[in-house]
Each structure stands twice: as structure tokens, then as C-alpha cells.
Amino acid sequence: MARCEQVHTPVDTVVSRMRALDSALPRRDGIAVFNRVYLTVTTEADQRIDAGLLADARAAVTLNVVFAERYLAAVEAVSEGHRPPACWRPLFQFRHHPGVRPLQFALAGINAHIGHDLALAVVDTCRTLDCEPAWLEDEFEQVGDLLAALEERIREDLMPGPDLLQLADPLTHLAGAWSLDRARDAAWTTARALWALRGLPDVAEEFAARLDMAVGFAGRMLLTPLPG
């Protein structure tokens, strides 16, 4: 099978849309917090692609754009008065809650995007490029590595420090209960399962719907309001 040849909208287009959101949203808005995180990741991915650092730039562009468009579609749905996917609803519902801290917003957005959107983006990319998920494994790992590096910086910037009072902070325990590595591994397994189910669309649709709800439930837990 030929390696992917077609490319969707360039990555710099979705970067521009995220920058527009960054300019329009209040800094403390939960969507703005996640958007800044994701903008950093997508900008870095774009720079790697432009620098020719990826073995299959076309596959990387397509996956990154299809992936980003799922988040942007959720934002657009809410702006038009529609309900976003269940995985995103907690973040939109709690985006202005004074008891939710910036780290929680960032992790809830990453949870929705990795736990649900990434698996579906792999499947959409395979359909677009007529390739098996295995052909996209390198690109999947590159996206995951960028997010892992960014998550580490986010935790360093937004987590409480190591002194005894801060170790007792419930945020420390809440954030420690979620793992990007586990979410990324689950997303890859889910993408492969959905691809295997493509000949059974009713089953695949139900599987995806249950995934959406489960990821949304985890997001709601991450957004538990905490004392100041």
C-alpha cells in the first residue's frame, strides 16, 4: 500500500485559529488555559514539519490537522449554541468556575483530546490517506511525545511545590491520578479497535459513543472544584 499522499488544511491554518482564540478569550477561561497548551504543541509540531525533521511530513501534517480540527469543532459547536461531544462538555461547563484551578483545566482538555479525539483522528486519517493504523504509528508517537513533554512543563509550572503544606493540597492528589502515558496507550489501542470495526459501523458507532462518555466522566472528575 502506498504511503499517504494527500494533505489536509496546513498546520499553520489551525495554528492561526488557535491564536485567534487565545486573543479573544479571557486568560482565566478554562478553554483559554487549554488552548494555550495546545497552541504550544501545535506550533512546535509545525516547526518540526517545516524544518524537515519528520520522515513522512505529509502523514504528520494530516494527522495533526485532523486531530486539531476535532478540538476546534467542539469550540465552534459551543459558539453556535450546540452541544459539544461528551468528552468536552465538563470543560465547557466548568470553564468559569472559580474553584477549578488552571492545571485542572489543562489536564481536562488534554484528557478529552487524547482520550477521545486522538483515536478518532487516527481512524479519520487512515480513511483519508487509505492506509492502516500501523503506517501512522511513528506520527502518533511524535504527537504523543510532544504532549508528554508539554505536560511535564505544565505540571512544573502549575503544580504545588514539594513542601509539606503543598503536599497536602488536594490538587496534588487529583492531578496524580491521571496519566498521559496511559491515556496515549489507550488511544492507540482504541484506534486499532475502531479500525478493525470499520466493517461494522453500528458497533463502531456505539463503541465510539461509549468512549466519549467515559472520557467525559474522567474529565468531570479532573474538574472537581477545590478549596483555594
Side-chain angles (χ1 to χ4, degrees):
M1 181 181 297
R3 192 94 162 150
C4 345
E5 291 297 330
Q6 174 128 13
V7 181
H8 272 184
T9 312
V11 178
D12 57 8
T13 300
V14 294
V15 168
S16 295
R17 291 168 68 187
M18 290 181 204
R19 284 177 177 154
L21 282 171
D22 186 51
S23 298
L25 295 173
R27 298 289 291 176
R28 186 60 177 76
D29 186 309
I31 301 301
V33 173
F34 170 71
N35 190 76
R36 288 194 295 274
V37 169
Y38 196 27
L39 176 58
T40 301
V41 171
T42 310
T43 301
E44 187 169 341
D46 196 21
Q47 291 169 348
R48 290 188 181 190
I49 292 167
D50 290 345
L53 300 177
L54 305 181
D56 191 338
R58 292 182 176 182
V61 167
T62 305
L63 179 58
N64 274 279
V65 170
V66 170
F67 185 36
E69 284 178 342
R70 283 195 166 271
Y71 156 62
L72 293 168
V75 174
E76 184 175 349
V78 172
S79 71
E80 294 177 353
H82 304 302
R83 295 185 81 192
C87 62
W88 286 105
R89 284 175 207 156
L91 184 53
F92 283 98
Q93 290 168 352
F94 285 81
R95 63 193 291 184
H96 302 299
H97 197 296
V100 178
R101 304 190 201 174
L103 176 62
Q104 294 175 264
F105 290 134
L107 292 182
I110 295 172
N111 170 70
H113 207 36
I114 297 293
H116 175 265
D117 293 354
L118 184 54
L120 272 64
V122 169
V123 173
D124 291 344
T125 301
C126 287
R127 288 187 176 129
T128 298
L129 303 173
D130 190 24
C131 59
E132 299 284 331
W135 287 94
L136 296 175
E137 189 166 5
D138 287 347
E139 288 71 31
F140 178 93
E141 291 299 331
Q142 288 156 7
V143 170
D145 289 346
L146 279 174
L147 285 164
L150 184 61
E151 188 212 19
E152 184 177 347
R153 294 202 298 268
I154 291 168
R155 287 180 184 268
E156 288 175 356
D157 291 344
L158 300 178
M159 277 285 287
D163 64 72
L164 291 178
L165 289 177
Q166 290 170 328
L167 283 173
D169 191 320
L171 177 61
T172 304
H173 304 285
L174 183 65
W178 187 84
S179 164
L180 187 143
D181 286 339
R182 289 197 297 269
R184 182 171 66 175
D185 290 345
W188 182 246
T189 299
T190 300
R192 294 173 59 205
L194 285 169
W195 185 251
L197 289 171
R198 66 192 183 280
L200 300 169
D202 290 345
V203 177
E205 183 178 355
E206 182 177 352
F207 185 95
R210 291 184 181 276
L211 172 71
D212 191 19
M213 295 297 294
V215 173
F217 179 77
R220 175 62 186 85
M221 296 300 100
L222 285 169
L223 292 170
T224 300
L226 301 175

